[in-house]
């Protein structure tokens, strides 16, 4: 007797099967756990998760049987998919006239004598395959076991749909990574191309002011000062943007051991402080292991901000290092500056977010520094928080993985 293996909507069903892009690896523990549970609940030696494809049936998970594929025309799972039965059951193939001459029922000790399969039906009502249990002798299952197989089959479908969602997310991530790389390259190129004309503008204003000061008068000199100030501001913006893209991906992969206080002293030298300022370093120096360049950039940004956004006669900055924790070093930079309003504290680490229009030197912030800091700290395996009070000061505390 010829058994039906082709359901009415097979064309649409096959498209659905292909859309899930399942791999044929049988080492997926999530699927293997389900076949193991199906065998246990039904007391059957064999359990399979099958996918009924165009010309073959292949098995995502196989418990109790060494099998990876089967001919579609001969597969019991194919019969189950073509059937209208909620649970496709064959209790004894030796006594069922449909399977009298079936090759799988005539295979000695490995003969399929009992079969019970529940279809894997997705949200669009497509039968993708089956969750089945098999025995090499006549057997049966009760109603509770049938219900258990139905529930497990639903879990298999959820795993299949989750796999599809994960594939889409990975594909989207690859596209975004590619676009971000292109954007980074574009921004970097534009920034580099703009630096030379800006440098020429700054130099030209100085030459004009020096040579033609008397000819252009005080108003002309003021105009040149404004041009130079704007050019310097734009140049600073470009440098910060380049710094963001080029250094924000530093991570804990480039590790070295160094003196923390010595690093701080080098940062202070780089800043070249020209205001009344006291910076208190940790009383005790420690050698720490981290990405030195990344940590230097973090401290450079935080200390520079403490200097720029301060309205006190004397700027006081305290830097503390806590090495007592097992997995992380904690660093705190505290100042007596203008403080940050509470409603803006959550936004300050976002790119292009600023608190004040201008700093103490009359320069406009661009909202890039703290965004770079957050990225660097994250890449170093840590996190950064801020506690601030307007008029009193701010305290930035961040962790770096040991």
């Amino acid at each position: 007797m010829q058994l039906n293996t082709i359901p009415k909507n097979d064309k649409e069903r096959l498209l659905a099967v292909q859309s899930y892009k399942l791999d044929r690896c049988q080492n997926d523990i999530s699927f293997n756990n389900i076949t193991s549970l199906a065998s246990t609940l039904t007391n059957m030696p064999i359990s399979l998760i099958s996918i009924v494809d165009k010309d073959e049936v292949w098995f995502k998970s196989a418990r109790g049987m060494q099998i990876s594929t089967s001919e579609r025309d001969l597969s019991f799972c194919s019969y189950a998919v073509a059937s209208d039965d909620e649970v496709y059951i064959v209790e004894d193939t030796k006594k069922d006239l449909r399977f009298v001459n079936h090759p799988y029922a005539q295979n000695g000790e490995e003969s399929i004598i009992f079969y019970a399969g529940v279809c894997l039906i997705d949200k669009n009502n497509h039968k993708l395959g089956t969750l089945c249990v098999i025995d090499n002798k006549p057997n049966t299952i009760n109603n509770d076991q049938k219900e258990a197989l139905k529930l497990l089959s639903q879990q298999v479908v959820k795993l299949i749909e989750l796999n599809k969602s994960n594939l889409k997310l990975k594909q989207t991530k690859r596209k975004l990574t590619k676009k971000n790389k292109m954007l980074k390259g574009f921004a970097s190129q534009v920034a580099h191309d703009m630096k030379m004309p800006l440098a020429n503008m700054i130099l030209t204003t100085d030459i004009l002011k020096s040579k033609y000061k008397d000819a252009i008068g005080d108003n002309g000199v003021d105009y040149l000062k404004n041009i130079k100030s704007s050019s310097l501001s734009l140049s600073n913006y470009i440098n910060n943007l380049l710094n963001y893209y080029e250094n924000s991906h530093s991570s804990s992969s480039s590790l070295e051991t160094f003196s923390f206080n010595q690093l701080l002293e080098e940062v202070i030298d780089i800043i070249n402080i020209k205001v009344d300022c006291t910076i208190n370093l940790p009383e005790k120096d420690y050698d720490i292991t981290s990405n030195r360049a990344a940590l230097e950039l973090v401290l450079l940004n935080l200390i520079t901000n403490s200097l720029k956004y301060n309205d006190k006669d004397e700027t006081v900055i305290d830097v503390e290092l806590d090495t007592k924790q097992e997995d992380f070093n904690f660093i705190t930079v505290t100042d007596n500056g203008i403080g940050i309003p509470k409603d803006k504290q959550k936004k300050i680490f976002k790119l292009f977010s600023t608190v004040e229009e201008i700093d103490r030197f009359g320069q406009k912030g661009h909202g890039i520094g703290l965004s770079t800091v957050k990225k660097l700290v994250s890449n170093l395996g840590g996190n950064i928080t801020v506690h601030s009070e307007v008029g009193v000061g701010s305290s930035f505390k961040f962790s770096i993985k040991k």
Side-chain angles (χ1 to χ4, degrees):
M1 180 179 180
Q2 184 66 37
L3 290 159
N4 183 28
T5 61
I6 309 296
K8 294 177 182 178
N9 67 336
D10 201 49
K11 185 177 180 180
E12 293 79 7
R13 189 195 66 80
L14 286 171
L15 288 174
V17 169
Q18 293 164 11
S19 73
Y20 287 101
K21 293 181 171 55
L22 275 171
D23 64 65
R24 300 194 179 200
C25 174
Q26 292 187 348
N27 295 327
D28 193 315
I29 190 170
S30 299
F31 289 94
N32 292 340
N33 283 342
I34 291 179
T35 50
S36 177
L37 188 56
S39 287
T40 301
L41 291 173
T42 58
N43 298 314
M44 299 290 171
I46 300 167
S47 178
L48 307 171
I49 292 174
S50 72
I51 303 296
V52 179
D53 225 324
K54 184 178 180 181
D55 299 313
E56 65 177 352
V57 175
W58 58 272
F59 302 97
K60 181 63 180 171
S61 177
R63 176 179 172 82
M65 181 184 286
Q66 295 295 322
I67 188 171
S68 57
T69 63
S70 172
E71 294 180 50
R72 180 172 177 179
D73 290 343
L74 298 176
S75 172
F76 284 75
C77 296
S78 186
Y79 307 149
V81 166
S83 168
D84 293 327
D85 294 346
E86 195 173 16
V87 183
Y88 187 81
I89 298 176
V90 182
E91 293 186 349
D92 188 346
T93 56
K94 298 291 187 181
K95 295 181 179 180
D96 193 317
L97 295 178
R98 296 173 297 173
F99 302 97
V100 170
N101 297 314
H102 198 288
Y104 292 174
Q106 310 294 328
N107 199 23
E109 292 182 357
E110 296 182 357
S111 297
I112 296 177
I113 306 301
F114 173 85
Y115 175 91
V118 179
C119 287
L120 307 174
I121 304 174
D122 71 5
K123 59 185 178 182
N124 295 316
N125 209 34
H126 293 126
K127 296 179 179 179
L128 309 176
T130 68
L131 168 64
C132 67
V133 290
I134 295 172
D135 203 345
N136 306 120
K137 65 180 187 298
N139 211 329
T140 187
I141 55 174
N142 59 39
N143 288 332
D144 288 341
Q145 291 169 323
K146 290 178 185 177
E147 291 302 316
L149 285 178
K150 290 178 189 177
L151 290 173
L152 288 176
S153 72
Q154 293 171 16
Q155 294 306 308
V156 175
V157 172
K158 286 182 179 179
L159 285 176
I160 292 172
E161 291 176 340
L162 181 62
N163 177 77
K164 184 177 182 179
S165 297
N166 286 338
L167 288 175
K168 284 184 177 179
L169 286 174
K170 288 178 181 178
Q171 186 179 28
T172 301
K173 184 180 178 181
R174 285 195 296 269
K175 287 181 179 178
L176 286 174
T177 300
K178 185 178 180 180
K179 287 184 178 180
N180 285 337
K181 188 176 180 180
M182 291 173 62
L183 181 61
K184 176 184 174 181
F186 174 76
S188 181
Q189 186 62 49
V190 170
H192 278 295
D193 289 347
M194 290 176 67
K195 288 183 75 175
M196 185 57 70
L198 280 170
N200 288 336
M201 287 174 63
I202 294 167
L203 181 61
T204 302
T205 56
D206 285 338
I207 292 172
L208 288 172
K209 189 169 63 174
S210 175
K211 286 190 173 184
Y212 304 104
K213 181 179 180 181
D214 294 334
I216 61 177
D218 291 341
N219 287 337
V221 170
D222 288 339
Y223 289 140
L224 289 176
K225 286 181 179 178
N226 288 336
I227 292 173
K228 182 177 180 179
S229 177
S230 297
S231 299
L232 286 170
S233 178
L234 184 55
S235 179
N236 184 49
Y237 176 78
I238 290 171
N239 287 332
N240 285 335
L241 196 60
L242 284 171
N243 194 43
Y244 177 83
Y245 280 119
E246 292 173 0
N247 296 301
S248 62
H249 296 290
S250 299
S251 68
S252 55
S253 58
S254 303
L255 300 177
E256 55 182 300
T257 301
F258 52 90
S259 159
F260 181 71
N261 279 17
Q262 183 180 339
L263 174 64
L264 275 172
E265 289 170 359
E266 291 177 13
V267 168
I268 293 168
D269 287 340
I270 292 170
I271 296 172
N272 189 23
I273 300 170
K274 295 181 179 179
V275 297
D276 190 2
C277 175
T278 299
I279 299 181
N280 298 310
L281 277 59
E283 291 184 5
K284 186 175 180 181
D285 189 16
Y286 290 95
D287 283 342
I288 63 172
T289 301
S290 185
N291 183 314
R292 196 179 193 279
L295 182 55
E296 179 181 297
L297 191 56
V298 170
L299 292 168
L300 190 63
N301 271 285
L302 292 178
I303 294 174
T304 299
N305 278 354
S306 292
L307 290 164
K308 288 163 62 177
Y309 299 102
N310 198 300
D311 56 355
K312 308 299 189 299
D313 292 334
E314 180 188 12
T315 299
V316 179
I317 302 171
D318 297 313
V319 183
E320 299 173 9
L321 171 65
D322 179 3
T323 62
K324 297 175 185 177
Q325 304 299 320
E326 183 178 352
D327 299 322
F328 294 91
N329 288 315
F330 288 88
I331 300 168
T332 307
V333 177
T334 305
D335 62 52
N336 64 336
I338 60 175
I340 305 167
K342 255 190 175 179
D343 61 333
K344 293 186 178 181
Q345 289 179 19
K346 290 183 179 180
K347 302 176 183 178
I348 59 173
F349 295 111
K350 293 182 179 179
L351 188 61
F352 305 127
S353 176
T354 58
V355 177
E356 292 294 320
E357 286 297 318
I358 57 173
D359 60 26
R360 72 190 298 173
F361 306 111
Q363 298 296 318
K364 188 180 186 303
H366 300 113
I368 299 175
L370 286 178
S371 178
T372 303
V373 165
K374 184 173 177 62
K375 267 199 168 188
L376 286 167
V377 170
S378 178
N379 290 339
L380 291 171
N383 190 31
I384 184 166
T385 58
V386 61
H387 175 76
S388 185
E389 186 177 343
V390 175
V392 177
S394 301
S395 180
F396 289 86
K397 184 175 183 179
F398 64 95
S399 56
I400 55 173
K401 197 169 184 180
K402 287 187 175 180

